[in-house]
Amino acid sequence: MSPINALSRDIGQRGSATLEAGLLGVAIIFLMLSAFEGSIIMWQYHTMAEAVQVSARYAAAHGLGCTQNGNTCSITVGQIASYIQSTGVGLDPAKLNVTLVSTNSTVTCSPLNTCTSNGTVFPPSGDNSPGADVKVTATYLMSNPLVMFSPGAGASKIGKVTLGATSTQRILF
């Protein structure tokens, strides 16, 4: 092989390692950001679901037994909203919509922070007897750049999806 051919072959391969490293670096950064953002999405969902579940249990534990025989442990919509807000650490209350449902009553807090001063007793009299159900439903508007890749995102706008959670608890006493 002549020295000219060897020189031209070396010139053609120069910079290929830099180019390959750059292309691989972009892919690695995308995968790392995807894992991080995916973790944030799952954390927000599980935090909201846990807050809804324990809040439904909290409301169900304050049934008819809390209003009889001198007991004063009945709770209000504002107390439940504050409980959801304190349990849902890291969730923006302005993006969290909650609906409280008993047998004959429905209270909607849209967003959650509009109900923190609501003094209405929940579950109301007549809906708080043992065997009745208390249902807490919440939706959370989440903004994240990876939502467009999420299964089930459907026709949602790019970067926004609504997460939902529901819990039903039976009043036992």
Side-chain angles (χ1 to χ4, degrees):
M1 179 183 304
S2 73
I4 295 176
N5 287 342
L7 180 61
S8 67
R9 187 168 27 105
D10 287 344
I11 291 173
Q13 291 183 359
R14 279 190 198 158
S16 64
T18 305
L19 178 65
E20 290 170 3
L23 292 174
L24 186 62
V26 169
I28 289 173
I29 289 172
F30 177 75
L31 289 175
M32 287 176 49
L33 287 175
S34 296
F36 180 74
E37 292 294 331
S39 298
I40 289 175
I41 292 169
M42 293 308 295
W43 175 77
Q44 288 176 333
Y45 170 74
H46 286 288
T47 300
M48 181 192 61
E50 176 71 11
V52 165
Q53 199 263 340
V54 297
S55 298
R57 188 180 321 134
Y58 176 70
H62 294 85
L64 185 62
C66 282
T67 60
Q68 293 181 333
N69 302 325
N71 293 331
T72 58
C73 61
S74 60
I75 57 172
T76 65
V77 171
Q79 289 171 314
I80 296 171
S82 296
Y83 192 76
I84 292 170
Q85 190 171 351
S86 67
T87 308
V89 176
L91 298 177
D92 183 2
K95 295 180 180 179
L96 185 63
N97 300 321
V98 176
T99 303
L100 307 172
V101 180
S102 62
T103 306
N104 298 311
S105 176
T106 300
V107 178
T108 301
C109 301
S110 180
L112 178 66
N113 51 10
T114 61
C115 286
T116 54
S117 61
N118 189 334
T120 307
V121 174
F122 191 87
S125 296
D127 289 353
N128 62 354
S129 55
D133 288 336
V134 174
K135 180 179 178 182
V136 178
T137 302
T139 58
Y140 185 72
L141 180 64
M142 185 189 67
S143 299
N144 195 299
L146 292 180
V147 170
M148 64 184 160
F149 300 115
S150 173
S156 67
K157 294 180 181 176
I158 293 177
K160 296 191 184 290
V161 72
T162 302
L163 302 175
T166 301
S167 180
T168 303
Q169 298 285 325
R170 180 147 296 153
I171 298 174
L172 299 177
F173 58 92

